[in-house]
Amino acid sequence: MAEDWLGLARTLGLFFATALAELTGCYLPLLWLSGKGAAWLLIPAALSLMVFVWLLTLHPGASGRIYATYGAVYISTAVLWLHLVDGVAPSYSDYVGVGLALLGAAVIALGNRAA
């Protein structure tokens, strides 16, 4: 039982790291394109996107199911990013959306385990 929880924690940590790499890799070019950052930000952005792609290769299981589940963690991380990086307080509907996405991911991930 403890091993299952440890595996779940590792997987969620990997999903979170993947989402952070993707968000960073997309955010830095946005800063440059909007005139809020220098062109050199494209270098860490490219590195971050390379890390993102590499992290995707570490996810176990069928890629479609992994990506569907990852999507919910990405949504959750993006709402956290909204608050911490953009300085915008998430709304009630943001929290409901995150909850629905995580519930859907749980159905996908846990439903497959029962099969």
Side-chain angles (χ1 to χ4, degrees), residues 38-91:
W40 67 265
L41 289 175
L42 297 176
I43 295 169
L47 292 172
S48 183
L49 289 174
M50 286 190 290
V51 168
F52 162 67
V53 171
W54 173 71
L55 287 170
L56 285 177
T57 68
L58 301 179
H59 293 270
S63 62
R65 188 170 292 119
I66 292 298
Y67 298 157
T69 306
Y70 163 71
V73 175
Y74 178 84
I75 291 167
S76 303
T77 307
V79 170
L80 182 63
W81 183 282
L82 173 73
H83 181 67
L84 297 177
V85 176
D86 294 331
V88 176
S91 68

Side-chain angles (χ1 to χ4, degrees), residues 1-2 6 13 18 23 36 40 43 62 67 69 100 105 107 110 112:
M1 182 73 168
L6 184 58
T18 304
L23 283 162
K36 296 177 184 173
W40 67 265
I43 295 169
Y67 298 157
T69 306
L100 290 171
V107 169
L110 298 175
N112 182 56

